[in-house]
């Protein structure tokens, strides 16, 4: 089955700086890669997703890139704000998705 | 509220007891997933349904776990003979499968299970 690895496990940035979270996947058949944000005590919510026929997707301060050859994809958050502090999960798959372990992002005001 | 709902929100049980959780997905969603999440980890896949058909169950899942989605609407997850290691947050999510393309999963609030 699919194996998704995510790093770093924790990330601290100053407000206004950029944050980058990286993930790798193992199954070349995977074609859907969502990113979820989970605030403390709340349910995961989708922030952006990308399909394998696209190399990059952007939504305001959030962007995701996908390298199918290397089997890795990354989340980029620019101009970070304190409300971006949360745990971020990458996921990937074909029939279903497998989640990464999560990255706890702390944005320091 | 038209989102995914789960009941109960919290369950405390003694080791060896059986527990059952319910998930009500978004009404037009044909896919329903069950996950388990422990502190500091991502959602761990347990099983999923497409309409009423259970298409996959995690190989890591004990036979004590069973799930149903009898009419393709709500789903139940039962854990028999609970163990302390079963303590976790159990999340349900639903999505609408379009053709063969996966799409956004909408998560419920979860059921937090504590096994004493």
């Amino acid at each position: 089955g699919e194996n998704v690895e995510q790093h770093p496990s924790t990330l601290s940035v100053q407000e206004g700086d950029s944050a980058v979270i990286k993930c790798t996947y193992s199954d070349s058949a995977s074609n859907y890669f969502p990113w979820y944000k989970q605030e403390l005590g709340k349910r995961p919510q989708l922030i952006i997703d990308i399909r394998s026929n696209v190399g990059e997707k952007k939504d305001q301060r959030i962007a995701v890139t996908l390298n199918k050859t290397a089997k890795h994809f990354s989340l980029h958050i620019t101009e970070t704000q304190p409300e971006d502090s949360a745990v971020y999960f990458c996921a990937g798959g074909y029939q279903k998705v497998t989640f990464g372990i999560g990255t706890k992002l702390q944005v320091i005001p | 509220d038209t989102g995914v709902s789960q009941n109960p929100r919290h369950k405390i049980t003694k080791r060896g007891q059986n527990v059952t959780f319910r998930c009500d997905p978004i009404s037009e969603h044909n896919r329903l997933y069950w996950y388990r999440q422990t502190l500091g980890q991502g959602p761990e896949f347990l099983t999923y349904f497409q309409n009423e058909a259970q298409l996959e169950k995690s190989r890591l899942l004990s036979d004590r776990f069973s799930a149903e989605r009898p009419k393709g609407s709500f789903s139940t997850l039962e854990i028999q003979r609970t163990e302390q290691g079963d303590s976790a947050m159990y999340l349900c999510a639903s999505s609408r499968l379009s053709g063969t393309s996966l799409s956004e999963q909408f998560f419920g609030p979860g059921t937090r299970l504590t096994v004493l």
Side-chain angles (χ1 to χ4, degrees):
Chain A
E2 176 65 279
N3 181 43
V4 175
E5 296 189 352
Q6 180 173 351
H7 61 95
S9 57
T10 60
L11 179 60
S12 292
V13 299
Q14 292 289 330
E15 182 178 358
D17 287 349
S18 296
V20 180
I21 302 170
K22 299 182 178 182
C23 290
T24 61
Y25 63 98
S26 60
D27 190 347
S28 57
S30 291
N31 61 2
Y32 178 64
F33 305 91
W35 287 85
Y36 286 82
K37 176 182 180 182
Q38 187 174 30
E39 297 178 3
L40 189 63
K42 296 190 175 181
R43 68 192 81 182
Q45 290 191 303
L46 182 79
I47 54 171
I48 195 167
D49 57 11
I50 191 168
R51 300 188 187 275
S52 59
N53 58 349
V54 176
E56 184 173 0
K57 184 176 179 181
K58 191 173 181 180
D59 183 4
Q60 299 183 340
R61 297 185 297 108
I62 294 173
V64 58
T65 59
L66 172 65
N67 183 326
K68 288 188 295 182
T69 303
K71 294 183 190 170
H72 65 69
F73 55 114
S74 301
L75 177 72
H76 304 251
I77 306 174
T78 59
E79 301 172 15
T80 53
Q81 303 168 2
E83 52 264 38
D84 294 330
S85 296
V87 179
Y88 292 81
F89 296 101
C90 63
Y94 171 58
Q95 293 289 346
K96 67 177 196 304
V97 295
T98 298
F99 284 81
I101 196 171
T103 296
K104 183 176 182 180
L105 173 64
Q106 181 184 19
V107 180
I108 303 167
Chain B
D1 186 356
T2 57
V4 179
S5 61
Q6 292 186 245
N7 288 288
R9 295 290 305 276
H10 303 275
K11 179 70 177 179
I12 299 174
T13 191
K14 293 183 178 179
R15 187 176 52 189
Q17 297 295 304
N18 299 344
V19 294
T20 300
F21 309 142
R22 177 178 170 127
C23 172
D24 287 89
I26 294 171
S27 59
E28 63 268 26
H29 285 182
N30 49 12
R31 277 277 180 104
L32 187 148
Y33 303 83
W34 283 100
Y35 297 93
R36 175 170 60 190
Q37 188 176 30
T38 54
L39 195 63
Q41 301 292 319
E44 174 194 0
F45 170 77
L46 296 180
T47 188
Y48 81 97
F49 294 83
Q50 184 161 317
N51 300 313
E52 66 276 8
Q54 186 175 20
L55 297 188
E56 186 176 342
K57 182 177 176 180
S58 170
R59 286 169 290 180
L60 300 176
L61 205 59
S62 161
D63 289 343
R64 297 183 295 105
F65 288 71
S66 62
E68 294 182 339
R69 194 184 183 197
K71 298 183 179 179
S73 56
F74 74 92
S75 175
T76 57
L77 176 69
E78 181 183 16
I79 308 174
Q80 296 181 326
R81 305 180 302 281
T82 53
E83 302 173 356
Q84 288 184 325
D86 297 331
S87 295
M89 177 71 83
Y90 289 83
L91 293 168
C92 173
S94 70
S95 69
R96 184 179 179 85
L97 185 73
S98 177
T100 59
S101 298
L102 297 177
S103 64
E104 177 180 3
Q105 293 183 29
F106 293 82
F107 283 83
T111 294
R112 181 167 295 284
L113 173 66
T114 301
V115 182
L116 301 176

